[in-house]
Amino acid sequence: MTYGLISDIHANLEALDAVLAELSGVDRFVCLGDIVGYGADPGACVDKVRSLPNLTCVAGNHDLAAVGRYDLGWFNSLARDAIQWTSGQLSAEQKSFLASLPLSAHVEQAVAVHGSLPDEMAYITTPQEAQVCFDAMPGELALIGHTHVAEYYRVRRSTRFPEQISLRSGGEIAFEPEHRYIVNPGAIGQPRDGNPAASFGLWEVEVGTLETRRVGYDVERQQEKMQAADLPEHLIARLSVGH
Ligand code: ZN
């Protein structure tokens, strides 16, 4: 069984299309949340993700905020502006899809969640934060998004000292039975790990590997659309640098 892992699309249709072209032979998908927010194509991205075959999708904070289910007080002013604009772009049907997304889901032996466990919207950026999630995880693998950084954490079953390993330029994880794992395949629509290319994952369940890859896309076209929609300048500029 092969799964395409997608996360943090953030309404960036050019980046999503580039990733889906790379995953064209895949017929199972896991989306780790934040389909919308920041970018210029929220409706089109929701429709594309919804139509993926055998999709497991969890809610991100931006998805919930765009449908009035997450307090805007948690966001900075630029994100808030983008969320309010996004909300006005979505149809009732697109909103009800976002509102229906669960906070976590089980796929094969993994748990999928936007941020962490037990708090689904917490950020994992350090081994200490990863350990909180390891303690709350039911099994040996968690798939996460939220930080827009492609990386993974692994911890030996007998210890509580996770290692943090970058996937900034892509890479392959070969799962070992003596370890537990938390994997973030990185962001499609707004990478923040210093690599502006869209990031995604390919999970081969029976083989026991998970590979992340980067693919370039037409950044300027998305930036022009964001400009035309009068979205905040900082959000537009950061796509060029991936930070
Ligand atoms: Zn996000």
Side-chain angles (χ1 to χ4, degrees):
M1 216 83 85
T2 304
Y3 286 84
L5 306 181
I6 60 176
S7 192
D8 295 281
I9 295 149
H10 283 293
N12 185 334
L13 186 61
E14 285 69 29
L16 178 60
D17 280 341
V19 166
L20 293 181
E22 294 287 307
L23 293 171
S24 59
V26 173
D27 62 357
R28 287 174 185 272
F29 285 86
V30 180
C31 174
L32 297 159
D34 279 0
I35 302 169
V36 303
Y38 299 136
D41 302 296
C45 288
V46 169
D47 288 343
K48 280 237 158 123
V49 171
R50 278 174 75 183
S51 65
L52 291 172
N54 300 303
L55 172 72
T56 301
C57 185
V58 296
N61 49 327
H62 286 257
D63 302 322
L64 295 181
V67 297
R69 296 204 171 191
Y70 201 72
D71 187 353
L72 286 182
W74 287 101
F75 296 89
N76 66 41
S77 65
L78 293 182
R80 227 165 24 229
D81 288 350
I83 287 162
Q84 274 155 353
W85 179 85
T86 297
S87 188
Q89 302 295 309
L90 296 168
S91 70
E93 208 190 343
Q94 289 159 345
K95 283 185 178 175
S96 79
F97 170 77
L98 294 178
S100 75
L101 296 174
L103 290 172
S104 67
H106 290 274
V107 196
E108 307 288 340
Q109 73 271 36
V111 59
V113 64
H114 186 57
S116 183
L117 289 173
D119 175 357
E120 293 90 352
M121 298 305 169
Y123 290 87
I124 299 180
T125 60
T126 65
Q128 291 75 16
E129 288 163 350
Q131 186 58 47
V132 174
C133 185
F134 279 121
D135 286 340
M137 276 163 57
E140 57 261 32
L141 175 61
L143 304 171
I144 64 163
H146 202 23
T147 62
H148 301 202
V149 172
E151 64 178 3
Y152 71 101
Y153 298 82
R154 66 172 190 179
V155 67
R156 209 168 265 282
R157 286 176 187 279
S158 53
T159 73
R160 290 171 52 83
F161 301 102
E163 294 169 74
Q164 180 176 19
I165 300 152
S166 174
L167 295 165
R168 187 175 174 273
S169 307
E172 187 175 280
I173 308 162
F175 295 120
E176 296 162 358
E178 64 270 26
H179 286 99
R180 302 171 78 211
Y181 295 82
I182 298 169
V183 182
N184 188 331
I188 289 179
Q190 200 200 79
R192 291 180 194 159
D193 52 11
N195 181 347
S199 190
F200 64 99
L202 258 180
W203 177 26
E204 302 279 0
V205 178
E206 281 81 16
V207 184
T209 58
L210 196 162
E211 182 189 358
T212 69
R213 294 187 201 159
R214 308 296 285 231
V215 60
Y217 69 95
D218 193 343
V219 174
E220 281 173 21
R221 185 165 155 73
Q222 175 58 214
Q223 288 174 318
E224 283 161 16
K225 288 198 267 183
M226 289 171 77
Q227 215 107 46
D230 214 14
L231 285 158
E233 194 56 47
H234 173 67
L235 298 178
I236 299 170
R238 70 190 308 181
L239 293 183
S240 305
V241 289
H243 204 73

